[in-house]
Amino acid sequence: MRQKTKKQVNVTDFVDNPIEVIKGGVTAAGGFHAAGIRAGIKASKNADLALIYSENPCSAAGTFTTNAIRASSVDWCSSILPSAGIHAIICNSGNANACTGDQGVKDNAAMALLAASALGAAHKSVLTASTGVIGKVLPMTRIAVAVPQLVSSLSPDGGLSFAKAIMTTDLVKKESAVCVSTDRGHFTIGGAVKGSGMIHPNMATMLCFITSDALIDNKLLNDIVKRVVNRTFNNLTVDGDTSTNDMVLVLANGVSGTPVKTKAAQKVFEDGLFTVCNDLCKQIAADGEGATKRVEINVKGAKTEEDARKAAKAVANSNLTKCALFGNDPNWGRIACAVGYSGAKFSKQKMSIHLCGIEVFKNLQPIAFDQKQAHALMKKRVVAIDINLGLGDKEAIAHTCDFSYDYVKINAEYRT
């Protein structure tokens, strides 16, 4: 397969800004091919089988759902990673292959083998992922028929078709990419994610696939991935449900030849990965089932990063706050209440809350503000909640959305 022509970047252009946001997804990085086709898994007849492939073996790492009931794909990938010899990821949508017993385990291994055989790769160099309805057996006959077409459809421009094929209740495809510069050259990080509901910190019904052409050791990659996921996807919530299938998989094939070894290179790689993951989090929150707006909770002034995360996540998980956001009600009391029970330490004299840029609370007292102005600002597609705990310089960000009537309707009728 032909290699994708790499973006030409002058290292000196990035002295002040080593991370440039670019267009693309899982094939933005050099050496990666992808595809997405219809295999007949979904009743909707939309694309439902997707593949990422690198001829070069990849360093690979992943993070997985904390749910004790896990899909076979989660067990398969977590038993293999981290690894230095991954070539592909095959993903189906429309069927979670979770709670399907021994048959589900066999079907997952068979799906990996089908892809491996068609690609001429080792069985365990192929990772798997599934998403969709729980408790249904995979239609393996249809998948077996579709895999040859899937492999023949691989393209260095196939990122978009991949992103569409992994969608379930998502209304839009979700991609993000950056070009990163170091003193040794440049590399690209690109990703795609699916997720709209059943989203909660500690992973979600959310599958995220990220690729890079950086040259990085799999153990170092594993450490960085876990830190970044903890700062991004683990601070994301739509409805408080942790799924059986969640995972983030990251592949790096080294095609750029740019090594990630020095402390400076490691930092800029981590910053680049954070940029992609944080952007994908925003896109999930914006596409939350029934959501009318995306919400960012920015917490600063914490004594520790853990305190900042506790406060941000508590507000993001507050269903009362999310309902008020849907009604465009500047009910700051629900935000303050969530911070109070979060377990985060804060200064009673210095803690403050801003809603849509308007200070509404300080020193455990309300601040007089224009209610009509706040109500109008809360109608925007992106609402910011800024909290300062008044104790230090640590910070964290969490992402969520509002709760609308449509969320109940979507999930009441999910199987029908």
Side-chain angles (χ1 to χ4, degrees), residues 157-224:
D157 300 310
L160 180 60
S161 63
F162 177 92
K164 290 179 177 179
I166 63 175
M167 294 165 56
T168 50
T169 58
D170 308 62
L171 296 179
V172 296
K173 56 87 178 173
K174 305 172 183 70
E175 297 180 294
S176 185
V178 296
C179 186
V180 180
S181 178
T182 75
D183 59 356
R184 298 288 299 276
H186 69 272
F187 55 81
T188 300
I189 303 173
V193 69
K194 66 80 50 186
S196 184
M198 213 174 185
I199 306 289
H200 180 61
N202 300 319
M203 306 310 304
T205 286
M206 163 220 110
L207 299 178
C208 179
F209 308 97
I210 296 174
T211 61
S212 177
D213 49 21
L215 185 59
I216 183 170
D217 174 78
N218 64 293
K219 292 181 180 178
L220 175 59
L221 179 65
N222 188 57
D223 291 341
I224 292 175

Short mmCIF file of all heavy atoms in Angstrom, two decimals, residues 157-224:
data_model
loop_
_atom_site.label_atom_id
_atom_site.label_comp_id
_atom_site.label_asym_id
_atom_site.label_seq_id
_atom_site.Cartn_x
_atom_site.Cartn_y
_atom_site.Cartn_z
N ASP A 157 -6.42 7.93 2.94
CA ASP A 157 -7.42 8.98 3.10
C ASP A 157 -8.73 8.42 3.68
O ASP A 157 -9.78 9.05 3.57
CB ASP A 157 -7.71 9.63 1.75
CG ASP A 157 -6.46 10.26 1.13
OD1 ASP A 157 -5.78 11.02 1.85
OD2 ASP A 157 -6.16 9.96 -0.04
N GLY A 158 -8.64 7.25 4.32
CA GLY A 158 -9.84 6.58 4.78
C GLY A 158 -10.27 6.92 6.19
O GLY A 158 -11.17 6.28 6.74
N GLY A 159 -9.67 7.95 6.78
CA GLY A 159 -10.01 8.30 8.16
C GLY A 159 -11.46 8.69 8.35
O GLY A 159 -12.09 8.32 9.34
N LEU A 160 -12.02 9.42 7.39
CA LEU A 160 -13.40 9.86 7.50
C LEU A 160 -14.37 8.69 7.46
O LEU A 160 -15.32 8.62 8.25
CB LEU A 160 -13.73 10.85 6.38
CG LEU A 160 -15.16 11.40 6.37
CD1 LEU A 160 -15.47 12.13 7.67
CD2 LEU A 160 -15.36 12.33 5.17
N SER A 161 -14.14 7.74 6.55
CA SER A 161 -15.03 6.57 6.47
C SER A 161 -14.92 5.73 7.74
O SER A 161 -15.91 5.15 8.19
CB SER A 161 -14.70 5.73 5.24
OG SER A 161 -13.39 5.20 5.31
N PHE A 162 -13.73 5.68 8.32
CA PHE A 162 -13.56 4.97 9.59
C PHE A 162 -14.38 5.65 10.68
O PHE A 162 -15.11 4.99 11.43
CB PHE A 162 -12.08 4.96 10.00
CG PHE A 162 -11.82 4.31 11.33
CD1 PHE A 162 -11.52 2.97 11.42
CD2 PHE A 162 -11.88 5.06 12.50
CE1 PHE A 162 -11.30 2.36 12.65
CE2 PHE A 162 -11.66 4.47 13.74
CZ PHE A 162 -11.36 3.12 13.82
N ALA A 163 -14.26 6.97 10.79
CA ALA A 163 -14.96 7.72 11.84
C ALA A 163 -16.47 7.56 11.73
O ALA A 163 -17.17 7.52 12.75
CB ALA A 163 -14.58 9.21 11.76
N LYS A 164 -16.99 7.46 10.52
CA LYS A 164 -18.43 7.29 10.33
C LYS A 164 -18.89 5.88 10.68
O LYS A 164 -19.99 5.68 11.21
CB LYS A 164 -18.82 7.63 8.89
CG LYS A 164 -18.71 9.11 8.55
CD LYS A 164 -19.09 9.37 7.10
CE LYS A 164 -19.06 10.86 6.78
NZ LYS A 164 -19.42 11.15 5.37
N ALA A 165 -18.05 4.90 10.39
CA ALA A 165 -18.44 3.49 10.60
C ALA A 165 -18.49 3.09 12.06
O ALA A 165 -19.11 2.08 12.40
CB ALA A 165 -17.50 2.57 9.83
N ILE A 166 -17.82 3.84 12.95
CA ILE A 166 -17.82 3.47 14.37
C ILE A 166 -18.96 4.14 15.13
O ILE A 166 -19.14 3.90 16.32
CB ILE A 166 -16.47 3.81 15.04
CG1 ILE A 166 -16.20 5.32 15.04
CG2 ILE A 166 -15.32 3.05 14.37
CD1 ILE A 166 -14.94 5.73 15.80
N MET A 167 -19.77 4.96 14.47
CA MET A 167 -20.85 5.68 15.15
C MET A 167 -22.02 4.77 15.49
O MET A 167 -22.31 3.82 14.78
CB MET A 167 -21.34 6.83 14.25
CG MET A 167 -20.33 7.92 14.02
SD MET A 167 -20.76 9.03 12.64
CE MET A 167 -22.39 9.60 13.13
N THR A 168 -22.70 5.08 16.62
CA THR A 168 -23.96 4.41 16.95
C THR A 168 -25.05 5.48 17.06
O THR A 168 -25.66 5.86 16.07
CB THR A 168 -23.86 3.58 18.24
OG1 THR A 168 -23.30 4.38 19.29
CG2 THR A 168 -22.99 2.36 18.01
N THR A 169 -25.28 6.02 18.28
CA THR A 169 -26.27 7.09 18.41
C THR A 169 -25.67 8.47 18.13
O THR A 169 -26.37 9.48 18.23
CB THR A 169 -26.91 7.10 19.81
OG1 THR A 169 -25.88 7.26 20.80
CG2 THR A 169 -27.68 5.82 20.06
N ASP A 170 -24.39 8.52 17.79
CA ASP A 170 -23.74 9.78 17.45
C ASP A 170 -24.49 10.45 16.30
O ASP A 170 -24.89 9.80 15.34
CB ASP A 170 -22.30 9.54 17.00
CG ASP A 170 -21.50 8.72 17.98
OD1 ASP A 170 -21.86 7.55 18.21
OD2 ASP A 170 -20.50 9.24 18.48
N LEU A 171 -24.61 11.76 16.39
CA LEU A 171 -25.22 12.52 15.30
C LEU A 171 -24.18 13.00 14.30
O LEU A 171 -24.51 13.27 13.15
CB LEU A 171 -26.00 13.71 15.86
CG LEU A 171 -27.20 13.38 16.75
CD1 LEU A 171 -27.84 14.67 17.24
CD2 LEU A 171 -28.21 12.51 16.01
N VAL A 172 -22.93 13.12 14.75
CA VAL A 172 -21.86 13.60 13.88
C VAL A 172 -20.60 12.78 14.11
O VAL A 172 -20.39 12.22 15.18
CB VAL A 172 -21.55 15.10 14.14
CG1 VAL A 172 -22.73 15.96 13.79
CG2 VAL A 172 -21.13 15.33 15.59
N LYS A 173 -19.76 12.70 13.08
CA LYS A 173 -18.46 12.05 13.23
C LYS A 173 -17.54 12.96 14.02
O LYS A 173 -17.71 14.19 14.04
CB LYS A 173 -17.87 11.67 11.87
CG LYS A 173 -17.71 12.84 10.89
CD LYS A 173 -16.40 13.58 11.04
CE LYS A 173 -16.26 14.69 10.02
NZ LYS A 173 -15.07 15.54 10.25
N LYS A 174 -16.55 12.38 14.68
CA LYS A 174 -15.68 13.15 15.58
C LYS A 174 -14.22 12.81 15.29
O LYS A 174 -13.80 11.66 15.51
CB LYS A 174 -16.03 12.85 17.03
CG LYS A 174 -17.51 13.09 17.36
CD LYS A 174 -17.86 12.59 18.75
CE LYS A 174 -19.33 12.78 19.06
NZ LYS A 174 -20.20 11.89 18.29
N GLU A 175 -13.47 13.80 14.82
CA GLU A 175 -12.05 13.61 14.50
C GLU A 175 -11.25 14.79 15.03
O GLU A 175 -11.79 15.88 15.24
CB GLU A 175 -11.83 13.55 12.99
CG GLU A 175 -12.49 12.39 12.28
CD GLU A 175 -12.21 12.43 10.79
OE1 GLU A 175 -12.70 13.37 10.12
OE2 GLU A 175 -11.48 11.54 10.30
N SER A 176 -9.95 14.58 15.22
CA SER A 176 -9.07 15.65 15.65
C SER A 176 -7.64 15.27 15.31
O SER A 176 -7.29 14.08 15.30
CB SER A 176 -9.20 15.89 17.16
OG SER A 176 -8.44 17.02 17.56
N ALA A 177 -6.80 16.27 15.02
CA ALA A 177 -5.40 15.98 14.69
C ALA A 177 -4.52 17.20 14.94
O ALA A 177 -4.99 18.34 14.87
CB ALA A 177 -5.27 15.54 13.22
N VAL A 178 -3.27 16.92 15.24
CA VAL A 178 -2.27 17.98 15.42
C VAL A 178 -0.96 17.55 14.78
O VAL A 178 -0.66 16.36 14.65
CB VAL A 178 -2.01 18.30 16.91
CG1 VAL A 178 -3.24 18.87 17.59
CG2 VAL A 178 -1.49 17.07 17.66
N CYS A 179 -0.17 18.55 14.38
CA CYS A 179 1.20 18.33 13.94
C CYS A 179 2.10 18.91 15.03
O CYS A 179 1.91 20.05 15.46
CB CYS A 179 1.46 19.01 12.60
SG CYS A 179 3.09 18.63 11.93
N VAL A 180 3.04 18.12 15.51
CA VAL A 180 3.88 18.49 16.64
C VAL A 180 5.33 18.62 16.19
O VAL A 180 5.85 17.76 15.47
CB VAL A 180 3.77 17.44 17.77
CG1 VAL A 180 4.64 17.84 18.95
CG2 VAL A 180 2.32 17.27 18.20
N SER A 181 6.00 19.67 16.65
CA SER A 181 7.38 19.90 16.28
C SER A 181 8.30 19.77 17.49
O SER A 181 7.97 20.20 18.59
CB SER A 181 7.54 21.30 15.69
OG SER A 181 8.88 21.56 15.38
N THR A 182 9.46 19.14 17.27
CA THR A 182 10.50 19.04 18.28
C THR A 182 11.82 19.46 17.65
O THR A 182 11.90 19.71 16.44
CB THR A 182 10.65 17.60 18.82
OG1 THR A 182 11.31 16.79 17.83
CG2 THR A 182 9.29 16.99 19.14
N ASP A 183 12.88 19.49 18.44
CA ASP A 183 14.18 19.87 17.89
C ASP A 183 14.76 18.78 16.99
O ASP A 183 15.78 18.99 16.32
CB ASP A 183 15.18 20.22 19.00
CG ASP A 183 15.41 19.07 19.97
OD1 ASP A 183 14.73 18.02 19.82
OD2 ASP A 183 16.24 19.21 20.88
N ARG A 184 14.12 17.60 16.97
CA ARG A 184 14.58 16.49 16.13
C ARG A 184 13.70 16.29 14.90
O ARG A 184 13.94 15.37 14.12
CB ARG A 184 14.60 15.19 16.96
CG ARG A 184 15.56 15.21 18.14
CD ARG A 184 17.00 15.16 17.69
NE ARG A 184 17.26 13.94 16.94
CZ ARG A 184 17.56 12.76 17.51
NH1 ARG A 184 17.62 12.65 18.83
NH2 ARG A 184 17.81 11.70 16.76
N GLY A 185 12.68 17.10 14.74
CA GLY A 185 11.78 16.93 13.60
C GLY A 185 10.34 17.10 14.03
O GLY A 185 10.05 17.70 15.07
N HIS A 186 9.42 16.56 13.24
CA HIS A 186 8.02 16.69 13.57
C HIS A 186 7.32 15.33 13.45
O HIS A 186 7.81 14.41 12.83
CB HIS A 186 7.32 17.71 12.67
CG HIS A 186 7.18 17.27 11.25
ND1 HIS A 186 8.15 17.49 10.31
CD2 HIS A 186 6.18 16.60 10.62
CE1 HIS A 186 7.76 16.98 9.15
NE2 HIS A 186 6.57 16.43 9.32
N PHE A 187 6.16 15.25 14.07
CA PHE A 187 5.30 14.06 13.96
C PHE A 187 3.85 14.51 14.07
O PHE A 187 3.56 15.66 14.46
CB PHE A 187 5.64 13.01 15.02
CG PHE A 187 5.60 13.50 16.44
CD1 PHE A 187 4.40 13.61 17.13
CD2 PHE A 187 6.77 13.85 17.10
CE1 PHE A 187 4.36 14.07 18.44
CE2 PHE A 187 6.75 14.31 18.40
CZ PHE A 187 5.54 14.41 19.08
N THR A 188 2.95 13.62 13.74
CA THR A 188 1.52 13.92 13.75
C THR A 188 0.79 12.98 14.70
O THR A 188 1.16 11.82 14.86
CB THR A 188 0.94 13.77 12.33
OG1 THR A 188 1.61 14.70 11.46
CG2 THR A 188 -0.55 14.05 12.29
N ILE A 189 -0.23 13.50 15.34
CA ILE A 189 -1.13 12.70 16.18
C ILE A 189 -2.55 12.97 15.69
O ILE A 189 -2.95 14.13 15.55
CB ILE A 189 -1.03 13.09 17.66
CG1 ILE A 189 0.41 12.93 18.17
CG2 ILE A 189 -1.98 12.24 18.50
CD1 ILE A 189 0.62 13.46 19.59
N GLY A 190 -3.29 11.92 15.38
CA GLY A 190 -4.66 12.09 14.92
C GLY A 190 -5.57 11.06 15.56
O GLY A 190 -5.12 9.98 15.94
N GLY A 191 -6.84 11.39 15.68
CA GLY A 191 -7.74 10.44 16.32
C GLY A 191 -9.18 10.58 15.89
O GLY A 191 -9.59 11.57 15.29
N ALA A 192 -9.95 9.55 16.22
CA ALA A 192 -11.40 9.54 16.01
C ALA A 192 -12.04 8.92 17.24
O ALA A 192 -11.45 8.03 17.88
CB ALA A 192 -11.77 8.75 14.76
N VAL A 193 -13.23 9.36 17.54
CA VAL A 193 -13.93 8.84 18.72
C VAL A 193 -15.40 8.68 18.40
O VAL A 193 -15.94 9.39 17.55
CB VAL A 193 -13.72 9.79 19.93
CG1 VAL A 193 -14.45 11.10 19.72
CG2 VAL A 193 -14.17 9.15 21.23
N LYS A 194 -16.05 7.73 19.07
CA LYS A 194 -17.50 7.64 19.01
C LYS A 194 -18.01 7.70 20.44
O LYS A 194 -17.40 7.17 21.37
CB LYS A 194 -17.97 6.37 18.29
CG LYS A 194 -17.68 5.05 18.96
CD LYS A 194 -18.59 4.61 20.08
CE LYS A 194 -20.04 4.70 19.70
NZ LYS A 194 -20.90 4.37 20.92
N GLY A 195 -19.09 8.39 20.62
CA GLY A 195 -19.67 8.50 21.95
C GLY A 195 -20.70 9.58 21.98
O GLY A 195 -20.50 10.68 21.45
N SER A 196 -21.85 9.28 22.58
CA SER A 196 -22.93 10.25 22.64
C SER A 196 -23.74 10.07 23.92
O SER A 196 -24.23 11.03 24.49
CB SER A 196 -23.83 10.09 21.41
OG SER A 196 -24.84 11.06 21.38
N GLY A 197 -23.87 8.82 24.36
CA GLY A 197 -24.58 8.52 25.59
C GLY A 197 -23.86 7.42 26.34
O GLY A 197 -22.90 6.83 25.86
N MET A 198 -24.31 7.14 27.57
CA MET A 198 -23.67 6.19 28.46
C MET A 198 -22.21 6.60 28.65
O MET A 198 -21.28 5.83 28.51
CB MET A 198 -23.75 4.76 27.90
CG MET A 198 -23.85 3.69 28.97
SD MET A 198 -24.14 2.05 28.22
CE MET A 198 -24.34 1.07 29.71
N ILE A 199 -22.04 7.90 28.96
CA ILE A 199 -20.72 8.50 29.07
C ILE A 199 -20.49 8.93 30.52
O ILE A 199 -21.26 9.71 31.07
CB ILE A 199 -20.59 9.74 28.17
CG1 ILE A 199 -20.94 9.41 26.72
CG2 ILE A 199 -19.21 10.36 28.28
CD1 ILE A 199 -19.94 8.56 26.01
N HIS A 200 -19.43 8.44 31.11
CA HIS A 200 -19.10 8.78 32.50
C HIS A 200 -17.62 8.63 32.75
O HIS A 200 -16.97 7.77 32.15
CB HIS A 200 -19.87 7.86 33.46
CG HIS A 200 -19.61 8.13 34.90
ND1 HIS A 200 -19.92 9.35 35.49
CD2 HIS A 200 -19.08 7.37 35.88
CE1 HIS A 200 -19.59 9.29 36.77
NE2 HIS A 200 -19.08 8.11 37.03
N PRO A 201 -17.04 9.46 33.61
CA PRO A 201 -15.62 9.30 33.93
C PRO A 201 -15.27 7.86 34.30
O PRO A 201 -16.09 7.14 34.83
CB PRO A 201 -15.44 10.22 35.14
CG PRO A 201 -16.45 11.29 34.90
CD PRO A 201 -17.63 10.61 34.29
N ASN A 202 -14.03 7.50 34.08
CA ASN A 202 -13.53 6.13 34.15
C ASN A 202 -13.95 5.36 32.91
O ASN A 202 -14.25 4.18 32.96
CB ASN A 202 -13.98 5.40 35.42
CG ASN A 202 -13.49 6.11 36.65
OD1 ASN A 202 -12.36 6.58 36.68
ND2 ASN A 202 -14.34 6.24 37.64
N MET A 203 -13.93 6.06 31.81
CA MET A 203 -14.29 5.60 30.47
C MET A 203 -15.79 5.69 30.29
O MET A 203 -16.51 6.10 31.16
CB MET A 203 -13.75 4.21 30.18
CG MET A 203 -12.24 4.09 30.41
SD MET A 203 -11.28 5.38 29.63
CE MET A 203 -11.78 5.22 27.95
N ALA A 204 -16.25 5.35 29.13
CA ALA A 204 -17.64 5.57 28.78
C ALA A 204 -18.04 4.70 27.61
O ALA A 204 -17.25 3.90 27.20
CB ALA A 204 -17.76 7.02 28.39
N THR A 205 -19.33 4.81 27.07
CA THR A 205 -19.63 4.09 25.83
C THR A 205 -19.00 4.91 24.78
O THR A 205 -19.63 5.67 24.12
CB THR A 205 -21.10 4.01 25.51
OG1 THR A 205 -21.64 3.10 26.36
CG2 THR A 205 -21.34 3.40 24.14
N MET A 206 -17.77 4.79 24.80
CA MET A 206 -16.94 5.66 24.04
C MET A 206 -15.75 4.84 23.62
O MET A 206 -15.17 4.16 24.45
CB MET A 206 -16.61 6.77 25.01
CG MET A 206 -15.51 7.62 24.69
SD MET A 206 -14.44 8.15 25.87
CE MET A 206 -13.14 7.17 25.31
N LEU A 207 -15.54 4.83 22.34
CA LEU A 207 -14.36 4.18 21.79
C LEU A 207 -13.51 5.28 21.15
O LEU A 207 -14.01 6.06 20.35
CB LEU A 207 -14.74 3.14 20.73
CG LEU A 207 -15.61 1.98 21.19
CD1 LEU A 207 -15.94 1.07 20.00
CD2 LEU A 207 -14.93 1.18 22.28
N CYS A 208 -12.24 5.32 21.51
CA CYS A 208 -11.35 6.32 20.96
C CYS A 208 -10.14 5.63 20.35
O CYS A 208 -9.53 4.75 20.97
CB CYS A 208 -10.90 7.29 22.04
SG CYS A 208 -9.76 8.56 21.43
N PHE A 209 -9.80 6.03 19.13
CA PHE A 209 -8.66 5.45 18.42
C PHE A 209 -7.73 6.58 18.00
O PHE A 209 -8.16 7.51 17.31
CB PHE A 209 -9.16 4.69 17.19
CG PHE A 209 -10.23 3.68 17.52
CD1 PHE A 209 -11.57 4.00 17.35
CD2 PHE A 209 -9.91 2.43 18.03
CE1 PHE A 209 -12.58 3.09 17.65
CE2 PHE A 209 -10.90 1.51 18.34
CZ PHE A 209 -12.23 1.84 18.17
N ILE A 210 -6.48 6.49 18.42
CA ILE A 210 -5.51 7.55 18.13
C ILE A 210 -4.28 6.94 17.49
O ILE A 210 -3.80 5.88 17.91
CB ILE A 210 -5.14 8.31 19.42
CG1 ILE A 210 -6.38 9.02 19.96
CG2 ILE A 210 -4.02 9.31 19.16
CD1 ILE A 210 -6.17 9.69 21.30
N THR A 211 -3.78 7.60 16.47
CA THR A 211 -2.58 7.14 15.77
C THR A 211 -1.53 8.25 15.76
O THR A 211 -1.86 9.43 15.81
CB THR A 211 -2.90 6.74 14.32
OG1 THR A 211 -3.40 7.90 13.63
CG2 THR A 211 -3.93 5.63 14.27
N SER A 212 -0.27 7.84 15.69
CA SER A 212 0.82 8.80 15.56
C SER A 212 1.95 8.17 14.78
O SER A 212 2.15 6.94 14.84
CB SER A 212 1.32 9.23 16.95
OG SER A 212 2.42 10.11 16.82
N ASP A 213 2.68 9.00 14.05
CA ASP A 213 3.86 8.50 13.35
C ASP A 213 5.14 8.82 14.13
O ASP A 213 6.24 8.74 13.61
CB ASP A 213 3.94 9.05 11.92
CG ASP A 213 3.76 10.54 11.85
OD1 ASP A 213 3.96 11.22 12.88
OD2 ASP A 213 3.40 11.04 10.77
N ALA A 214 4.99 9.16 15.42
CA ALA A 214 6.15 9.40 16.28
C ALA A 214 6.85 8.07 16.58
O ALA A 214 6.23 6.99 16.57
CB ALA A 214 5.72 10.05 17.59
N LEU A 215 8.13 8.15 16.86
CA LEU A 215 8.94 6.99 17.23
C LEU A 215 9.05 6.98 18.75
O LEU A 215 9.80 7.76 19.34
CB LEU A 215 10.31 7.08 16.58
CG LEU A 215 11.27 5.89 16.75
CD1 LEU A 215 10.66 4.62 16.19
CD2 LEU A 215 12.60 6.20 16.08
N ILE A 216 8.27 6.11 19.41
CA ILE A 216 8.18 6.13 20.86
C ILE A 216 8.10 4.72 21.41
O ILE A 216 7.43 3.85 20.85
CB ILE A 216 6.98 6.98 21.33
CG1 ILE A 216 6.91 7.06 22.85
CG2 ILE A 216 5.67 6.45 20.75
CD1 ILE A 216 5.89 8.08 23.35
N ASP A 217 8.76 4.46 22.52
CA ASP A 217 8.75 3.17 23.19
C ASP A 217 7.36 2.88 23.74
O ASP A 217 6.67 3.78 24.23
CB ASP A 217 9.77 3.19 24.33
CG ASP A 217 9.72 1.93 25.18
OD1 ASP A 217 10.26 0.90 24.73
OD2 ASP A 217 9.13 1.98 26.27
N ASN A 218 6.92 1.62 23.65
CA ASN A 218 5.56 1.29 24.05
C ASN A 218 5.32 1.49 25.55
O ASN A 218 4.22 1.84 25.97
CB ASN A 218 5.20 -0.15 23.64
CG ASN A 218 6.04 -1.20 24.33
OD1 ASN A 218 7.24 -1.30 24.10
ND2 ASN A 218 5.43 -2.00 25.18
N LYS A 219 6.36 1.30 26.37
CA LYS A 219 6.17 1.49 27.81
C LYS A 219 6.02 2.98 28.14
O LYS A 219 5.19 3.36 28.98
CB LYS A 219 7.34 0.88 28.57
CG LYS A 219 7.37 -0.65 28.49
CD LYS A 219 8.52 -1.24 29.28
CE LYS A 219 8.51 -2.76 29.17
NZ LYS A 219 9.67 -3.36 29.92
N LEU A 220 6.82 3.81 27.48
CA LEU A 220 6.68 5.25 27.67
C LEU A 220 5.32 5.72 27.15
O LEU A 220 4.64 6.53 27.80
CB LEU A 220 7.81 5.98 26.94
CG LEU A 220 7.74 7.52 26.92
CD1 LEU A 220 7.74 8.07 28.34
CD2 LEU A 220 8.89 8.09 26.10
N LEU A 221 4.93 5.21 26.00
CA LEU A 221 3.62 5.54 25.44
C LEU A 221 2.51 5.18 26.42
O LEU A 221 1.58 5.96 26.64
CB LEU A 221 3.41 4.82 24.11
CG LEU A 221 2.07 5.05 23.42
CD1 LEU A 221 1.91 6.50 22.99
CD2 LEU A 221 1.92 4.13 22.20
N ASN A 222 2.60 4.02 27.03
CA ASN A 222 1.61 3.56 27.98
C ASN A 222 1.47 4.52 29.16
O ASN A 222 0.37 4.87 29.58
CB ASN A 222 1.97 2.16 28.48
CG ASN A 222 0.88 1.53 29.31
OD1 ASN A 222 -0.25 1.39 28.88
ND2 ASN A 222 1.23 1.15 30.53
N ASP A 223 2.62 4.98 29.68
CA ASP A 223 2.59 5.91 30.81
C ASP A 223 1.93 7.23 30.42
O ASP A 223 1.11 7.77 31.17
CB ASP A 223 4.01 6.18 31.30
CG ASP A 223 4.66 4.98 31.97
OD1 ASP A 223 3.92 4.06 32.38
OD2 ASP A 223 5.89 4.95 32.08
N ILE A 224 2.30 7.74 29.26
CA ILE A 224 1.76 9.02 28.81
C ILE A 224 0.26 8.91 28.53
O ILE A 224 -0.53 9.79 28.91
CB ILE A 224 2.50 9.52 27.56
CG1 ILE A 224 3.94 9.90 27.91
CG2 ILE A 224 1.77 10.71 26.92
CD1 ILE A 224 4.80 10.29 26.73
#
